[in-house]
Amino acid sequence: HLFRTFPQFDEGQLSTMRNEVVSASALAKVARREDLGRFALLNAGEEATGGRNKEALLADMVESLIAAVFVDQGIDAARTLVVRWLGDDIRRAASDPSGSDFKSRLQEYLRRVNAPAPSYHLVENGPKHNQKFTAHTLVNDNRLGWGVGKTKKAAEQAAAQYSLQLLEEKTPEEMA
């Protein structure tokens, strides 16, 4: 769909758009909007830990429903459902094909200024059922930025976003 709808974008931009539109958080947002969690059959433990609102479970439900429609009714029905559920996200991603994958954007920025790729140092906090992660972005073993999230990926994205913000505020003299 993206390839045919947005022929003006290169492969990298289309890949970024796809990743943003079908990310677990984007699909979970669809599931919440459509109130799909109420249809989940959960065991008592999963129910007790808030399973109906878990991002991974909700995202899996959306993927499964799209696949079920495809198997039962074919590609056209599945495409209609995808566009109905994700059309706004697709249009939003097309308006900024660089996307919100801040880790990739930071890596591209560092490559443009001939700096090495970043690495991330993660620290876990809190009990297993309610963990928070803090990520520090490192470039040449120097801390650049940091971020916090409920998942390792979210913390790294937040750290990369903050790092980008800090780098983009620097003057060319400060970069030297």
Side-chain angles (χ1 to χ4, degrees), residues 23-46:
S23 70
S25 61
L27 295 179
K29 199 178 341 174
V30 169
R32 287 184 187 103
R33 185 181 66 228
E34 300 295 325
D35 196 22
L36 298 179
R38 68 188 166 114
F39 297 109
L41 298 176
L42 305 175
N43 66 32
E46 192 69 29

Side-chain angles (χ1 to χ4, degrees), residues 21-78:
V21 171
V22 298
S23 70
S25 61
L27 295 179
K29 199 178 341 174
V30 169
R32 287 184 187 103
R33 185 181 66 228
E34 300 295 325
D35 196 22
L36 298 179
R38 68 188 166 114
F39 297 109
L41 298 176
L42 305 175
N43 66 32
E46 192 69 29
E47 189 75 63
T49 60
R52 289 185 194 286
N53 201 33
K54 285 186 179 173
E55 186 172 274
L57 186 139
L58 293 170
D60 288 348
M61 287 181 72
V62 170
E63 288 179 352
S64 296
L65 286 168
I66 292 169
V69 168
F70 171 73
V71 168
D72 186 61
Q73 298 178 25
I75 188 70
D76 291 333

Side-chain angles (χ1 to χ4, degrees), residues 1 9 12-14 35 55 71 73-74 77 85 90 99 105 108 110 139 154 158 163-164:
H1 178 80
F9 295 141
Q13 291 171 313
L14 291 171
D35 196 22
E55 186 172 274
V71 168
Q73 298 178 25
W85 279 354
I90 292 168
R105 289 171 63 178
E108 289 169 16
L110 292 170
V139 177
S163 299
L164 260 176

Side-chain angles (χ1 to χ4, degrees), residues 42-162:
L42 305 175
N43 66 32
E46 192 69 29
E47 189 75 63
T49 60
R52 289 185 194 286
N53 201 33
K54 285 186 179 173
E55 186 172 274
L57 186 139
L58 293 170
D60 288 348
M61 287 181 72
V62 170
E63 288 179 352
S64 296
L65 286 168
I66 292 169
V69 168
F70 171 73
V71 168
D72 186 61
Q73 298 178 25
I75 188 70
D76 291 333
R79 184 179 293 119
T80 298
L81 181 61
V82 166
V83 171
R84 184 175 133 224
W85 279 354
L86 298 170
D88 289 342
D89 293 329
I90 292 168
R91 284 185 286 283
R92 195 171 13 267
S95 70
D96 181 14
S98 63
S100 62
D101 178 1
F102 295 103
K103 286 179 67 175
S104 294
R105 289 171 63 178
L106 175 61
Q107 191 161 343
E108 289 169 16
Y109 180 93
L110 292 170
R111 187 172 38 244
R112 279 195 312 272
V113 297
N114 295 317
S119 61
Y120 297 88
H121 173 74
L122 279 161
V123 177
E124 299 178 28
N125 299 306
K128 279 277 191 218
H129 69 278
N130 191 24
Q131 281 191 318
K132 283 190 179 166
F133 298 89
T134 302
H136 297 274
T137 308
L138 305 171
V139 177
N140 279 332
D141 293 324
N142 296 312
R143 281 191 183 177
L144 180 57
W146 61 275
V148 177
K150 289 187 175 222
T151 65
K152 292 175 184 179
K153 182 177 178 182
E156 288 178 350
Q157 284 290 335
Q161 181 179 12
Y162 184 52

